[in-house]
Amino acid sequence: MKFFVDTANLDQIREAQDLGVLDGVTTNPSLMAKEGITGTDAVMNHYKAICDIVDGDVSAEVISTDFEGMIREGENLAQIDDKIVVKVPMIKEGVKALRWFSDHGIKTNCTLVFSAGQAILAAKAGATYLSPFIGRIDDINWDGMELIAQIANIYAIQGFSTEILAASIRNPLHIVKAAEAGADVCTCPLSSITGLLNHPLTDIGLAKFLEDHQKSQSL
Ligand code: E4P
C-alpha cells in the first residue's frame, strides 16, 4: 500500500519525505486555504514547491464545477509538473472530465466518493485514483471501512485498474484497517503516519536495553 500525506503544509511534507516512506501528496481547497495560499499564481507556485519535495504523485484539485472549466484548470495544473494528478469531484461534469483527462493521458483522482456506485462510475470513466472519504462516513455513524472493502471486492471482480485511495483518514488505526480492507493507497495526516510508530512495549523495551547496556559498560 502506498502512503500519501494529506496536507499542503511544506514542513509536514518535508518531514514525511524525510521519513523515507512517502509515495505522494494530496491537497484540497480547504488544505490550501489553511496554508493561506490564495490567487492563481500562488496556488501554482505552491504546487510546484510540493512537487519539488516529493518523488511521487501530487493531487491538485480543480475548483470549477463545469466540464469546460475543469478541463481548462486541469490542463493548466498538469503543466506544472509530471507528478500532478488532477483531482476532480464526483459529479456528472466531473465524470465527463475524468474520461477526457484519461483519454488525453492526464492522471486523475476522483474525490468526494461515498458509495460503491460512484466508485464504479469513476472506474468506468478511467480515473487513476478513487478517493472514498472514510472519516466523513464514520462521522455520520456509518462504516467507512466497509465501503473500502466493498469497492476493493468490486474492482477485483471486474478487473478495474483504478487505484483505491482511502481518504479522510483520522487516526493510525484507519491506516491499518484500510490496508486490511484492500486500499491501494492511504492519504493521511502526518500525525496518523507517525502515530503508527507508537507502542508502549517498544518504549519500555528500548529503555531496558539502554539501561542494561549502560550497566554493562560500568562493570
Ligand atoms: C484528500 O484527498 C481528502 O480531500 C481529505 O482526505 C479529506 O479529509 P477530511 O475529511 O479530514 O477533510
Side-chain angles (χ1 to χ4, degrees):
M1 186 174 73
K2 289 188 266 188
F3 270 3
F4 290 177
V5 68
D6 194 22
T7 182
N9 182 283
L10 298 182
D11 289 336
Q12 290 188 16
I13 293 168
R14 274 189 210 99
E15 191 178 334
Q17 175 69 22
D18 286 350
L19 199 55
V21 297
L22 193 67
D23 300 297
V25 174
T26 52
T27 63
N28 63 37
S30 304
L31 293 171
M32 293 292 276
K34 196 172 161 192
E35 298 307 313
I37 315 297
T38 53
T40 310
D41 286 350
V43 166
M44 301 297 249
N45 290 338
H46 199 75
Y47 284 135
K48 182 62 185 156
I50 295 174
C51 290
D52 287 345
I53 297 171
V54 297
D55 294 327
D57 287 343
V58 175
S59 286
E61 190 159 341
V62 297
I63 308 299
S64 303
T65 53
D66 63 298
F67 174 77
E68 286 78 14
M70 287 185 197
I71 301 308
R72 202 168 42 245
E73 263 189 74
E75 280 191 300
N76 287 338
L77 289 167
Q79 277 171 12
I80 296 172
D81 197 289
D82 285 348
K83 295 170 189 167
I84 290 288
V85 174
V86 180
K87 208 170 171 191
V88 175
M90 172 34 80
I91 55 176
K92 193 173 176 184
E93 297 292 287
V95 172
K96 290 191 225 168
L98 289 171
R99 167 51 56 207
W100 191 92
F101 287 128
S102 175
D103 289 347
H104 289 78
I106 293 175
K107 290 177 286 185
T108 53
N109 174 354
C110 180
T111 189
L112 290 166
V113 170
F114 296 93
S115 77
Q118 291 176 327
I120 291 171
L121 259 185
K124 289 289 296 174
T128 314
Y129 294 105
L130 176 90
S131 289
F133 277 32
I134 305 311
R136 293 194 195 188
I137 296 175
D138 288 357
D139 287 345
I140 59 160
N141 207 23
W142 289 3
D143 188 345
M145 220 48 77
E146 257 179 31
L147 178 61
I148 297 289
Q150 186 185 19
I151 296 170
N153 189 34
I154 292 170
Y155 279 13
I157 291 169
Q158 298 298 332
F160 288 134
S161 58
T162 298
E163 292 187 51
I164 303 167
L165 194 172
S168 190
I169 293 287
R170 300 279 161 78
N171 55 58
L173 189 59
H174 267 160
I175 301 177
V176 174
K177 292 288 178 192
E180 271 182 342
D184 300 292
V185 192
C186 241
T187 189
C188 333
L190 180 60
S191 59
S192 297
I193 298 177
T194 54
L196 292 171
L197 284 165
N198 300 335
H199 200 290
L201 291 180
T202 304
D203 300 338
I204 292 166
L206 182 60
K208 178 76 174 124
F209 286 155
L210 295 179
E211 184 191 319
D212 290 346
H213 172 74
Q214 275 307 109
K215 277 185 201 156
S216 70
Q217 299 305 299
S218 53
L219 286 179

